[in-house]
Amino acid sequence: MRTLAELNSPLAVVTFSGEGDSGAAGGPAEDVPPRVTLTTAGGTEFLLTADLSQAGACIAILPGPTGMDAPPWQATVSEYAGLDGGQVVKTRAATRRINLPLLLWARCRPELLTLRRRLIAAVMAGPATLRVAEADGSARTIGVHYMGGLEGDEGSDNAGLSYARYGLQLVAPDPYWYGPLRTATFRVRGGTPHFLSRLPAPGGTGGDGGGGEAEFLPLRIGASVIGESGVPIDVTSDTNVWPVWRITGPLGTQDAGQPAVPVRIANTTTGQSLALNYAVPAGATVVIDTRPGIKAVYREAPGGGQGENLWPSVSGAAALWPLVPGSNQLVVTAAGADDHAAVTLSYQPRHYGA
């Protein structure tokens, strides 16, 4: 068993990026231990990697946390009839469990009681977010729920007048760690004529070398150079990510009495696409949320939140598809747009470990 003096040492704080005293002052930047925080549903943040030599009550992760890296992996195997072995039918990441050995330390008994009571009340109030931030500025988060470990143990060396040790048990229904939110916006480029406008037909007699009129087919809109293969969106993720699309009008509108022109979104890398058969008025926004557990298509209410359900207006909705790791070539086609129209893509990279 560790002595109280060892537990109160700054060296007792776990360092996920190294061992021993690699996080000591003066070391290389890459050897600085991460900053781990737990933010509760009420917005209260607890620093879990405090320097135990600091003044005031604090919390430190002791050596031995588990569940921070690869998620549990399940494989469904179909056994061959009459033959040796079998075949893997599918694999999936299962619910993740995280165990954090914590030390709560204070200068005096009242400080310890205050910290302990705040922590217990906060983590039992609902879901929380565990965040690991590295010295290089990168950070990953995971949503967790309290499962146990704060019941208390007054056994030898587990608690004293001004310190207590706990094994905080958390469960993550979504087993992936998430990176920062990334967005990309597709817009009409400056100087581009209105969609479905009429242009001089090639070979005409107009003063600019053209005459007559020709139908101007729906344009692709994008934030960079557009080609037949689409706009490249690079996804830095360990696995597929599920985007949220925000379509801001006017898009898909035509003259009165004419049917809406679908807003089409296609990923030429995977061959998947969807179409919104709905005329989005100027200033209105339609949200297509592909995230597992949500899967919603709706017109955003004036004050935010879900308004009119637009599932019937989406074709290809049976497979609200993800983006794959690496380059995704995206093509957005629409009609009836002006300079205020936009299609915004947002997603969070998903990672196997912290």
Side-chain angles (χ1 to χ4, degrees):
M1 297 293 291
R2 285 173 169 263
T3 66
L4 179 57
E6 290 175 316
L7 293 175
N8 286 348
S9 167
L11 300 184
V13 181
V14 66
T15 58
F16 295 110
S17 57
E19 297 181 355
D21 59 356
S22 59
E30 61 269 21
D31 292 333
V32 175
R35 187 178 191 271
V36 182
T37 58
L38 183 68
T39 303
T40 64
T44 302
E45 181 181 277
F46 293 91
L47 176 63
L48 304 184
T49 49
D51 184 342
L52 298 180
S53 64
Q54 71 181 34
C58 59
I59 304 174
I61 299 178
L62 299 174
T66 61
M68 301 290 285
D69 295 319
W73 207 248
Q74 293 182 346
T76 301
V77 179
S78 176
E79 296 290 339
Y80 294 134
L83 299 174
D84 295 336
Q87 181 179 9
V88 175
V89 178
K90 63 179 180 180
T91 59
R92 62 182 291 269
T95 299
R96 179 193 295 265
R97 294 182 181 273
I98 298 174
N99 298 302
L100 300 177
L102 300 181
L103 171 68
L104 276 63
W105 181 88
R107 296 171 300 179
C108 59
R109 180 71 175 175
E111 284 187 355
L112 175 66
L113 292 177
T114 298
L115 176 60
R116 179 166 61 188
R117 290 165 180 169
R118 284 181 58 240
L119 177 64
I120 292 174
V123 299
M124 297 190 70
T129 300
L130 188 65
R131 183 174 188 266
V132 178
E134 298 291 345
D136 61 4
S138 64
R140 295 179 180 180
T141 62
I142 190 169
V144 295
H145 295 257
Y146 172 72
M147 288 293 291
L150 296 181
E151 296 86 356
D153 181 0
E154 299 297 327
S156 175
D157 217 15
N158 285 325
L161 290 177
S162 62
Y163 76 96
R165 294 177 61 184
Y166 296 98
L168 180 61
Q169 301 167 23
L170 304 170
V171 61
D174 183 344
Y176 294 103
W177 291 84
Y178 283 81
L181 184 69
R182 300 178 183 272
T183 62
T185 300
F186 298 78
R187 290 187 180 275
V188 180
R189 291 175 292 179
T192 301
H194 290 297
F195 294 93
L196 293 181
S197 64
R198 293 195 174 274
L199 296 181
T205 59
D208 57 356
E213 292 181 330
E215 191 69 12
F216 192 41
L217 299 178
L219 290 176
R220 292 173 174 81
I221 55 179
S224 60
V225 177
I226 306 301
E228 287 300 316
S229 59
V231 178
I233 300 295
D234 291 324
V235 175
T236 54
S237 178
D238 292 340
T239 185
N240 292 350
V241 299
W242 298 89
V244 177
W245 300 91
R246 294 176 58 85
I247 303 171
T248 301
L251 279 175
T253 59
Q254 287 203 89
D255 295 336
Q258 297 297 315
V261 177
V263 178
R264 301 184 184 276
I265 304 173
N267 187 339
T268 62
T269 299
T270 62
Q272 295 172 304
S273 64
L274 62 86
L276 175 67
N277 300 290
Y278 180 81
V280 185
T285 298
V286 171
V287 178
I288 302 177
D289 194 335
T290 71
R291 292 175 295 177
I294 299 178
K295 300 292 186 184
V297 182
Y298 59 90
R299 178 170 170 171
E300 194 170 62
Q306 295 192 19
E308 178 185 0
N309 177 28
L310 295 179
W311 266 110
S313 301
V314 174
S315 58
L320 293 185
W321 35 268
L323 304 178
V324 297
S327 179
N328 293 255
Q329 301 294 118
L330 301 181
V331 177
V332 178
T333 60
D338 63 17
D339 290 344
H340 300 289
V343 177
T344 299
L345 155 72
S346 63
Y347 71 90
Q348 283 186 277
R350 300 198 301 171
H351 302 285
Y352 292 128

